[in-house]
Each structure stands twice: as structure tokens, then as C-alpha cells.
Amino acid sequence: MSLSDTPAPLGPSPQGHSAVPPDGPAAALAEPTRQVSARWVTGLVLVNVGINAAFFGPINVFIGQQAISIDEPSKEAILSLATACGAAVSLVANPLFGALSDRTTSRFGRRSPWVLAGAVLAAVALLAMSGAGTVALMVLFWCLVQLGANAAYAAITAAVPDRVPVPQRGKVGGLAAMGQTLGILTGAVFGAVVSGNFMVGYWLCAAALLLSVLPYLFHRDDPVLHRGVLPRFRPGLFLRGFWISPRRYPDFAWAWLTRFLVNVGNQLTIVYLLFFLRDILKHEDPAAGVLVLTGIYAVMVMITAVAAGPWSDRVGRRKPFVIGSSATIAMAALIMAFFPVWPGALAGAAVLGIGFGAYLAVDFALLTQVLPLAADRGKDMGIINVANSLPQVVAPALALAAVTYWGGYRSLFITAAVIGLLGAVFVVKIKSVR
């Protein structure tokens, strides 16, 4: 695996479209026109399942249980520290590995080597995390999990604008969202099955991640980037490329901001879910409660993602779906705020799933349509993915302040709703996508 290093100019292309022909040495940069196969999409979905199981099994259950085993009175602070540090790593890892994959000239393609390497690193770190007996080691290994999983996620996300034509992106985005949701549900199932044995839970997450990438790697359809297509690698230019001017690319900037705000609101709603069930609702088995809520959420996400994505393809519109789904996500937080009982939690999970399923499918398709340059799809999708990761840094700090100083869980959920609604409002600023 190497990086392209021979000078050859490549002009900019608006909204990620490339004038490069779909064959020849620069085929990896061509705007896709051929619909992807069901087998390729299945591989993409399974990678999303594995990565999200590795992310959310620990975040929703195992890190909290491990924090309780290390220092129960400080469990909230430990969970916030671990998730914030891991998210800080992902802020750098996602765009960095996306940019590196853009320039990779491996004979196996640009994205596949990073999917494999990232999955292996994350799996090894999960196994190491299972034996961590101190906060420092737990945080260190979780950061390595984030490093590896984000390398794989950056690569697999960039594969969509690489291979999927615009009229098919809503459908593929919906199926990818279904894969993400199945991964979250898988993590919750692991949490319930192991009955508090977080060590076994980490091993299950590692195994799921490694197995999930195999179908994609065996049928990757990943065109090779030939040497000489991209300009010579220069560290200064490479680093400066991570800044995308909001003035020059305003739609990209607004899309990033709206995704960030909606994800902050969503993360605030779920970050302390285990503790909310345990300490406020007095649920007799909080891990099982997380599984039930996640199951309801997952079913609704899969229904709305698979329906809304193709629907937006057919009507040729993205923004109304994104605005409506963002407002629905905020409504779920308000239900949790004003009905802090088990039936309220069930209703909140259902509404959250309805909103987030449509949002994940259609907003993903919208984002792929505002990418500045075809040659930088991996890096630019990585920057977009920062809007998924940065909330994991911001939200735990906000959540800790809300629960500790601002009035408890009601304040937490109201804050989540307000921030999410701002995300819905700013979608109207995007002009190049209807």
C-alpha cells in the first residue's frame, strides 16, 4: 500500500463530479454512473454492522459497566472521559485516513486496505480493553479502538460516492443506515447476553467486527488509483487540504453544521441511557432495558431508513426529509424530558427511531452531493464524519453539566431537543440540493 507521488494536475470539479472518463488510469476518480450490485451493497451494509457494534456495544453498555467495576461513585465521569477521549481521536483519524485512502495506490484499491487494517487494529484493541483494570488503560485502549474503527469507517463511507450514482444514493444510504442500526442493536444484544460480563462483551464485539468486513473485501469493486493521476504528495498541501472554505463551499459548510447539531442532540439523548434507566426509572435490569429500547429504536430506524431513502430518490428532493426528521429527533428528547417513566422511554425510543432512520438515509445522500472535489472524496467525507464524532466530545461534557449542575435529566433532554431543532432550521441554507 503506497501513496500517489508523481506530479499530474487534476482540476477541481464542483459538487464532487469529475470529468474523468469511467475507464483508464483515472477511473477511480470518475463520477459513478453504473448502479452497484446487491452483493456489493450487502458487503457495505455488513461492514457498517460490524463497525457500529464495535462502537456502540462499548459506548452504550460495556464502558459503563467497566466504569462501575473500577469506581462506581465516579461512573458518570469515567464514562464521559472515555467517550470524550475516544471521540477526540476520531476527530483526527476519520479525515486523516480518508485523505490517505484518497491517495492509496494499492493493487487492491484505495479503500479496501484501510477497511482491513482498521478492523484488525480495532479488534485487537477491544481484546486488550477487556482486561483493562484502570481508568488510564481503559481510555488508552478505547482510543485505539476509535483509531482503527474510524480508519475502516472513513474508507467504507468514501466508497459510496466512489461507486454509487446519485439517483441510487438515497436507497444505498438507507441500507447503510439499516446496517448501522443493526450494529447498534447487535451491541445491545451482546450487552444483554453477557449479563454484566463486559470482558466477554468486548470479545464478541471484536469477533463481529472482523467477520463483518470479509464479504466486502472478497467483493470490493474498488478501482485502483494509478500512480501519476494525483499530484506529488507534499505534507504542507496535504495538511492545508483539511480546511474547506465555507465561503467557497457554503453548502458543504451548512451541511456539516446541521449534521453536527443533530448529532449533538441525538448523543445527548442516549449518552447516559444506562444510568437513566438505573437511577431515574429504577429499572431492575438496566442492560436489558437498553436492549429493549434499542430494539424498538432499531426497528423504526430500519423501516424509515429503507422507506425514506428510495422515496427521496424518486422525488428528487432531500431537504424536506432532513428537516422533518431532525424535528422528529428533537421531539423524542422532549418525550424523555417530560415523561420520565418506562412507557415514556418506550415512546421516546420509537419516535427517535422514526426520525433518525429517515435522517441517516437522506442526509447521507445529501452530503454526498455537496462534496467539493472528486479527488478528495475520502478526506471530505472524513471531515463530514467529524460532525458525527465531535458530538461525542461535546455531548458528554454537556450531559455531565446538565445532570450534575443544571437540574438533572430533564434539563439534559430539553437541551438535546433545542440543539436538534437548530439543526433542522439551518438545513434551509443549503442551496444546491433541493
Side-chain angles (χ1 to χ4, degrees):
M1 183 167 63
S2 62
L3 302 181
S4 178
D5 57 2
T6 306
L10 183 68
S13 171
Q15 306 304 339
H17 292 270
S18 173
V20 177
D23 52 13
L29 305 182
E31 180 65 15
T33 57
R34 175 175 56 87
Q35 288 202 347
V36 290
S37 68
R39 185 176 177 182
W40 186 89
V41 175
T42 300
L44 176 86
V45 169
L46 289 175
V47 174
N48 276 279
V49 171
I51 290 173
N52 281 275
F55 276 144
F56 289 100
I59 288 173
N60 288 346
V61 179
F62 302 131
I63 294 177
Q65 291 175 340
Q66 195 167 12
I68 291 172
S69 74
I70 293 173
D71 186 359
E72 182 170 358
S74 302
K75 60 185 184 297
E76 291 93 348
I78 294 172
L79 176 61
S80 294
L81 175 65
T83 54
C85 288
V89 170
S90 72
L91 295 181
V92 178
N94 211 294
L96 175 62
F97 287 113
L100 292 174
S101 72
D102 283 335
R103 307 184 67 89
T104 297
T105 56
S106 163
R107 66 187 180 90
F108 299 106
R110 292 193 293 170
R111 315 301 182 188
S112 303
W114 296 102
V115 172
L116 176 60
V120 170
L121 174 59
V124 171
L126 282 166
L127 298 182
M129 196 171 176
S130 69
T134 66
V135 173
L137 284 177
M138 185 179 73
V139 171
L140 171 63
F141 292 135
W142 179 240
C143 288
L144 291 176
V145 172
Q146 288 278 357
L147 186 70
N150 274 278
Y153 188 65
I156 200 65
T157 302
V160 174
D162 279 351
R163 307 310 307 144
V164 182
V166 169
Q168 197 185 9
R169 286 184 191 169
K171 178 179 180 180
V172 173
L175 292 171
M178 182 185 72
Q180 294 173 23
T181 306
L182 285 173
I184 296 171
L185 181 59
T186 299
V189 169
F190 290 164
V193 167
V194 301
S195 301
N197 190 337
F198 59 83
M199 296 177 65
V200 175
Y202 286 131
W203 279 73
L204 289 174
C205 288
L209 177 57
L210 290 177
L211 291 173
S212 73
V213 303
L214 295 180
Y216 177 80
L217 294 174
F218 284 122
H219 189 73
R220 56 192 177 274
D221 191 18
D222 191 357
V224 173
L225 178 68
H226 295 274
R227 297 191 182 199
V229 173
L230 295 183
R232 185 185 299 274
F233 178 78
R234 294 182 175 89
L237 290 175
F238 178 77
L239 294 175
R240 286 196 294 274
F242 289 98
W243 167 250
I244 298 177
S245 170
R247 179 173 297 179
R248 188 175 180 184
Y249 302 106
D251 283 353
F252 183 88
W254 285 115
W256 189 97
L257 179 62
T258 58
R259 194 169 184 85
F260 169 74
L261 291 172
V262 171
N263 275 287
V264 168
N266 182 68
Q267 188 68 22
L268 284 172
T269 304
I270 66 173
V271 66
Y272 283 164
L273 184 58
L274 182 72
F275 301 149
F276 177 69
L277 296 181
R278 181 177 185 266
D279 299 335
I280 303 301
L281 302 191
K282 307 299 183 183
H283 197 286
E284 60 183 12
D285 188 345
V290 169
L291 175 59
V292 171
L293 296 180
T294 305
I296 294 172
Y297 162 88
V299 169
M300 302 313 299
V301 164
M302 288 186 284
I303 292 172
T304 56
V306 172
W311 187 5
S312 73
D313 286 338
R314 288 194 299 271
V315 302
R317 296 176 67 87
R318 312 291 191 195
K319 285 162 60 175
F321 291 90
V322 175
I323 292 169
S325 58
S326 301
T328 304
I329 293 168
M331 186 186 304
L334 292 177
I335 291 172
M336 301 287 278
F338 293 103
F339 299 96
V341 292
W342 179 241
L346 296 172
V351 173
L352 184 64
I354 291 170
F356 212 60
Y359 181 83
L360 286 172
V362 183
D363 190 63
F364 180 82
L366 183 152
L367 291 169
T368 66
Q369 293 178 240
V370 299
L371 300 179
L373 299 173
D376 295 330
R377 291 178 186 131
K379 181 261 294 178
D380 294 341
M381 288 302 294
I383 292 172
I384 286 289
N385 285 332
V386 169
N388 300 329
S389 303
L390 187 57
Q392 296 178 39
V393 178
V394 174
L398 285 176
L400 184 62
V403 171
T404 306
Y405 303 111
W406 300 348
Y409 281 91
R410 176 168 292 180
S411 296
L412 171 66
F413 294 132
I414 291 174
T415 302
V418 171
I419 293 174
L421 285 173
L422 287 175
V425 169
F426 289 138
V427 173
V428 301
K429 295 288 190 177
I430 300 171
K431 302 302 183 184
S432 63
V433 180
R434 293 194 300 157

